[in-house]
């Protein structure tokens, strides 16, 4: 009978004690959360109950499993103890990470609620908190794995031998993983150098998007068409990029129109004011409309508008472009650009000026596109090049007693 009750007491008592302690801890946290509404810490700590119960149960079993007096346990006592030790180390690491994550998340939530008006500062703290949690998780994981390996007697001897060659191994590992280490240090620089933050609007490699995820090695950017661009964090420390959220999220945008010279610019200003007044994305800071350039066929009209962020400035620009073109087509179609195919309007007097020489003679056809029209003023002058040709013919004419040139025909 004792052989049956002892295992039940050890195992059942461990489970029952774990459940009771878990319930007591949860009750205390619920009362603390109800008493302190200003901070979410106590409510978030309730998420640590599962790893806490695993730690308690494993610790109780690790200390009392050899009291069961079971044949199976006695035959595999060392192996069971090894397994329980590994589970205890892993559960402890899980509990530490969960507690640290809860504390950091509660601190960030409280900070964000107090600094809700400064979105840039909140995004900076959020980026730093995210990277700090990743660092803590990595450190705890490395320590837990090392502790688990040290529970094996053979690994202790291997560890001692590896310490002797740690310098050489470190050099080789550093050379082999220099790219990874570079990204790791770049992640620290981004986190604490405030170069780019979660939620920032950036332009990288010609792509516009929002920073969605920042880790110690890579950064993910969500584009406007829901694509994700994953880039190493070293890119942002070694190459220039546009950060539209730096120094404030407010944006200024432009809209260009190519219109006819007769376009009603004052009426367009009034229409622009009406369009912006009806557009909720416009922040009301500034707007303008001006003629910035002209060409022989059109003139360039530039509209400047403002908005609170990059998404709204895109919406405002599209609305202004669409509604202004519709208004011009409906009320001022003559203002739209066109290709002129009508005859040119003659100058006053109805006569086009004719190009004549000084003596009143119209230029010859071969003189129209040259500068030879004004070389000679007399009407009997030979055309350009005639004298040179006559001189060449005179040189080629034989002068030996009037004999004909020999042609080889006999």
């Amino acid at each position: 009978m004792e052989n049956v009750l002892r295992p039940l007491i050890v195992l059942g008592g461990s489970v029952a004690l774990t459940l009771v302690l878990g319930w007591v801890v949860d009750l205390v946290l619920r009362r603390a959360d109800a008493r302190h509404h200003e901070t979410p810490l106590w409510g978030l700590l309730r998420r640590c109950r599962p790893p806490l119960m695993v730690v308690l149960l494993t610790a109780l079993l690790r200390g009392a499993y050899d009291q069961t007096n079971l044949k199976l346990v006695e035959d595999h006592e060392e192996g069971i103890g090894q397994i329980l030790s590994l589970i205890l180390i892993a559960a402890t690491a899980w509990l530490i990470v969960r507690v640290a994550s809860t504390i950091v998340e509660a601190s960030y939530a409280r900070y964000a609620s107090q600094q809700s008006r400064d979105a840039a500062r909140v995004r900076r703290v959020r980026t730093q908190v995210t990277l700090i949690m990743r660092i803590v998780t990595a450190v705890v994981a490395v320590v837990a794995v090392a502790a688990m390996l040290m529970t094996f007697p053979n690994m202790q001897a291997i560890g001692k031998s590896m310490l002797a060659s740690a310098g050489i191994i470190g050099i080789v590992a550093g050379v082999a993983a220099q790219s990874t280490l570079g990204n790791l240090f770049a992640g620290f620089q981004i986190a604490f150098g405030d170069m780019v933050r979660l939620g920032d609007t950036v332009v990288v490699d010609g792509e516009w998007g929002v920073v969605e995820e920042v880790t110690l090695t890579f950064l993910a950017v969500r584009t406007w068409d829901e694509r994700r661009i994953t880039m190493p964090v070293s890119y942002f420390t070694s190459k220039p990029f546009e950060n539209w959220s730096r120094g404030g999220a407010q944006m200024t945008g432009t809209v260009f129109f190519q219109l006819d010279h007769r376009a009603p610019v004052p009426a367009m200003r009034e229409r622009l004011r009406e369009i912006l007044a009806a557009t909720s994305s416009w922040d009301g800071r500034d707007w303008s409309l001006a003629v910035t350039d002209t060409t022989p066929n059109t003139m360039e009209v530039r509209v400047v508008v403002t908005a609170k962020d990059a998404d709204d400035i895109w919406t405002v620009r599209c609305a202004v472009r669409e509604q202004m073109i519709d208004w011009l087509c409906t009320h001022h179609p003559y203002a739209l650009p066109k290709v002129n195919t009508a005859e040119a309007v003659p100058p006053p007097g109805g006569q086009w000026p004719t190009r004549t020489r000084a003596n009143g003679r119209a230029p010859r056809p071969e003189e129209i596109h040259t500068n030879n029209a004004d070389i000679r003023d007399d009407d009997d002058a030979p055309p350009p090049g005639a004298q040179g040709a006559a001189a060449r013919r005179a040189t080629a004419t034989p002068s030996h007693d009037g004999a004909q040139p020999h042609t080889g025909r006999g």
Side-chain angles (χ1 to χ4, degrees):
M1 189 67 177
E2 183 180 357
N3 293 334
V4 177
L5 292 178
R6 183 180 291 270
L8 291 179
I9 292 174
V10 172
L11 298 178
S14 299
V15 173
L17 185 58
T18 300
L19 293 176
V20 171
L21 292 177
W23 176 79
V24 170
V25 171
D26 186 69
L27 179 62
V28 172
L29 292 176
R30 279 187 297 174
R31 291 185 176 181
D33 185 37
R35 187 175 303 174
H36 302 281
H37 297 284
E38 69 280 1
T39 175
L41 175 62
W42 305 109
L44 293 176
L45 281 175
R46 296 181 62 192
R47 299 186 306 179
C48 303
R49 182 182 177 184
L52 175 62
M53 295 181 67
V54 174
V55 169
L56 292 176
L57 179 60
T58 307
L60 291 174
L61 291 177
R62 181 67 179 83
Y65 78 97
D66 56 349
Q67 302 297 324
T68 57
N69 293 334
L70 292 175
K71 181 65 175 177
L72 179 63
V73 175
E74 292 177 353
D75 294 340
H76 303 85
E77 181 177 356
E78 185 177 354
I80 295 176
Q82 184 76 27
I83 294 175
L84 291 176
S85 298
L86 296 177
I87 296 175
L88 180 61
I89 294 173
T92 303
W94 180 20
L95 178 61
I96 293 174
V97 171
R98 184 63 66 87
V99 171
S101 175
T102 300
I103 295 175
V104 170
E105 185 176 348
S107 302
Y108 168 74
R110 186 172 182 179
Y111 179 85
S113 62
Q114 294 176 354
Q115 303 290 339
S116 57
R117 297 182 179 180
D118 193 350
R121 183 176 298 178
V122 172
R123 290 199 306 271
R124 181 185 64 187
V125 174
R126 179 184 173 190
T127 304
Q128 295 175 353
V129 164
T130 302
L131 292 179
I132 288 174
M133 271 310 307
R134 293 184 184 275
I135 295 171
V136 171
T137 303
V139 171
V140 172
V142 171
V143 173
V145 171
M148 294 170 71
L149 291 177
M150 294 301 291
T151 59
F152 297 92
N154 295 332
M155 294 302 298
Q156 296 179 3
I158 295 176
K160 293 178 181 179
S161 63
M162 290 178 62
L163 289 176
S165 57
I168 300 177
I169 294 176
I171 294 175
V172 174
V175 173
Q178 56 182 342
S179 178
T180 303
L181 293 176
N183 284 329
L184 183 63
F185 288 112
F188 283 104
Q189 187 175 353
I190 286 179
F192 301 100
D194 198 23
M195 298 177 59
V196 62
R197 301 154 298 193
L198 289 171
D200 279 3
T201 302
V202 297
V203 178
V204 290
D205 283 345
E207 294 285 351
W208 174 89
V210 178
V211 178
E212 187 177 52
E213 184 179 4
V214 179
T215 68
L216 291 177
T217 56
F218 71 90
L219 187 147
V221 177
R222 185 185 74 251
T223 61
W224 64 273
D225 54 355
E226 300 299 328
R227 291 181 293 117
R228 267 65 175 180
I229 301 177
T230 302
M231 309 187 70
V233 293
S234 58
Y235 174 90
F236 294 88
T237 59
S238 60
K239 296 182 180 180
F241 65 95
E242 296 183 30
N243 189 344
W244 292 0
S245 302
R246 185 73 176 178
Q250 296 176 342
M251 297 287 296
T252 299
T254 57
V255 181
F256 291 94
F257 296 97
Q258 301 294 331
L259 303 176
D260 191 84
H261 293 97
R262 297 173 295 173
V265 176
M268 290 179 64
R269 289 193 180 97
E270 294 298 326
R271 178 56 182 167
L272 176 62
R273 182 183 290 107
E274 297 174 359
I275 294 173
L276 294 177
T279 304
S280 59
S281 299
W282 180 56
D283 62 357
R285 286 189 297 121
D286 191 18
W287 68 273
S288 66
L289 187 148
V291 178
T292 56
D293 196 7
T294 59
T295 65
N297 296 321
T298 61
M299 66 178 181
E300 182 183 78
V301 178
R302 186 190 69 179
V303 173
V304 177
V305 291
T306 59
K308 64 180 179 63
D309 54 30
D311 292 334
D312 283 354
I313 198 64
W314 173 264
T315 303
V316 174
R317 292 172 61 193
C318 293
V320 169
R321 187 181 296 110
E322 177 182 347
Q323 297 183 40
M324 185 66 74
I325 291 178
D326 180 70
W327 178 75
L328 290 174
C329 292
T330 303
H331 298 89
H332 304 278
Y334 61 88
L336 300 177
K338 59 182 67 69
V339 179
N340 294 324
T341 58
E343 295 182 357
V345 179
Q351 296 292 331
W352 291 99
T354 57
R355 183 183 180 188
T356 59
R357 297 173 58 130
N359 55 9
R361 178 181 65 80
R364 296 185 180 89
E366 63 271 13
E367 299 173 340
I368 293 178
H369 297 293
T370 67
N371 294 325
N372 298 326
D374 297 327
I375 295 178
R376 297 286 299 271
D377 292 336
D378 54 319
D379 294 337
D380 297 331
Q387 292 181 350
R392 288 192 295 272
R393 286 195 299 272
T395 304
T397 303
S399 57
H400 300 286
D401 301 330
Q404 297 295 326
H406 180 68
T407 59
R409 296 181 179 179

